[in-house]
Amino acid sequence: MKALYGHPDSGTYWEKHCDAALQRVGFQPIDLWPSCYKHPKRDLLLVVYVDDFKLAGPSANLKKGWKLIRDNLEVEEPVPVAHYLGCTREVKEITL
């Protein structure tokens, strides 16, 4: 095994590896939405941006979804979304 860090095509190699690993556990690529996947059986939506994974769906299925992802990929424990793609997420209640 060789490290990909610094290789001119490391992004492509990672993307192919990640895509294959996700498809092995039932995630399906969404047409025309690169790096976005659905898992029909678990009703999950996954967005992958380099090494950031954002998973959405019924709360009862999220834990199962993360387990599927981690079966083939080494990813960190999920944490609540705070800052993603230049946007800061803020949770609050408002009255309309």
Side-chain angles (χ1 to χ4, degrees):
M1 285 191 174
K2 295 182 179 180
L4 288 177
Y5 183 78
H7 188 282
D9 210 15
S10 61
T12 302
Y13 288 132
W14 164 249
E15 189 176 304
K16 287 180 180 182
H17 170 73
C18 183
D19 179 71
L22 293 172
Q23 288 194 51
R24 271 194 301 275
V25 294
F27 283 92
Q28 301 170 353
I30 299 175
D31 291 336
L32 304 176
W33 285 13
S35 300
C36 294
Y37 298 84
K38 61 184 176 183
H39 196 289
K41 183 177 177 183
R42 302 275 182 220
D43 198 25
L44 297 170
L45 172 68
L46 174 66
V47 178
V48 180
Y49 180 73
V50 188
D51 62 349
D52 284 334
F53 290 66
K54 304 302 177 213
L55 186 63
S59 55
N61 292 344
L62 291 176
K63 197 173 200 176
K64 295 171 188 171
W66 281 115
K67 184 190 177 317
L68 290 172
I69 294 166
R70 298 179 93 194
D71 280 349
N72 286 289
L73 294 169
E74 284 186 45
V75 296
E76 296 174 357
E77 287 289 328
V79 296
V81 177
H83 194 77
Y84 183 64
L85 297 178
C87 299
T88 301
R89 179 178 176 258
E90 186 177 311
V91 179
K92 62 183 174 180
E93 238 179 81
I94 63 170
T95 303
L96 297 177

